[in-house]
Amino acid sequence: MNSYMTIYEAIGGEVGVRRIVEAFYPKVQRNPLIGPLFPADITPVMEKQFLFLTQFFGGPQLYSDQYGHPMMRARHLPFPITPQRAEAWLGCMREALEELGVPEDLRAVILERLSGPAHHFVNTPAD
């Protein structure tokens, strides 16, 4: 990834984001800490995540165009998000990126970019 390239471009644009979302959610669903927070039909969640990550990684503003300002902390308030759940979410993302063969330097950038928001969503004390 060069310094002029967005994460979105570095991961391969729309196809890359879609691959990450599709590798990520089966891990989330199997995770005992965070899987139960998600609905059985994960498809709408995956689609929103695709729209959000596209935008968050520097691609087209798909999420905002469809749903308005992301306001992600507010959208996550109904769910009990502990520090452990934030780390479990990041761990699932790390596994997905590794499984897809995303280069280590790019994985580090992506996980760093996502760790701020993941911990910002924490709204419940540690388990």
Side-chain angles (χ1 to χ4, degrees), residues 84-126:
Q84 293 90 339
R85 286 184 173 133
E87 282 301 317
W89 189 96
L90 288 166
C92 290
M93 182 59 74
R94 184 177 302 105
E95 288 175 34
L97 296 172
E98 288 171 3
E99 177 183 301
L100 294 172
V102 174
E104 193 173 338
D105 59 335
L106 181 54
R107 279 199 318 257
V109 169
I110 291 170
L111 291 167
E112 176 65 30
R113 180 94 166 86
L114 289 170
S115 70
H119 288 284
H120 182 65
F121 298 160
V122 169
N123 58 24
T124 303

Side-chain angles (χ1 to χ4, degrees), residues 31-61:
N31 186 288
L33 273 180
I34 57 177
L37 299 177
F38 289 84
D41 179 9
I42 200 83
T43 307
V45 175
M46 289 175 68
E47 190 53 30
K48 282 185 176 176
Q49 181 75 294
F50 166 76
L51 298 173
F52 176 74
L53 287 179
T54 295
Q55 179 169 325
F56 188 72
F57 289 157
Q61 302 291 296

Side-chain angles (χ1 to χ4, degrees), residues 11-49:
I11 60 175
E14 181 180 336
V15 171
V17 175
R18 189 72 69 192
R19 287 179 66 226
I20 290 170
V21 170
E22 289 172 0
F24 174 68
Y25 275 98
K27 292 166 184 17
V28 166
Q29 288 180 298
R30 286 192 300 268
N31 186 288
L33 273 180
I34 57 177
L37 299 177
F38 289 84
D41 179 9
I42 200 83
T43 307
V45 175
M46 289 175 68
E47 190 53 30
K48 282 185 176 176
Q49 181 75 294

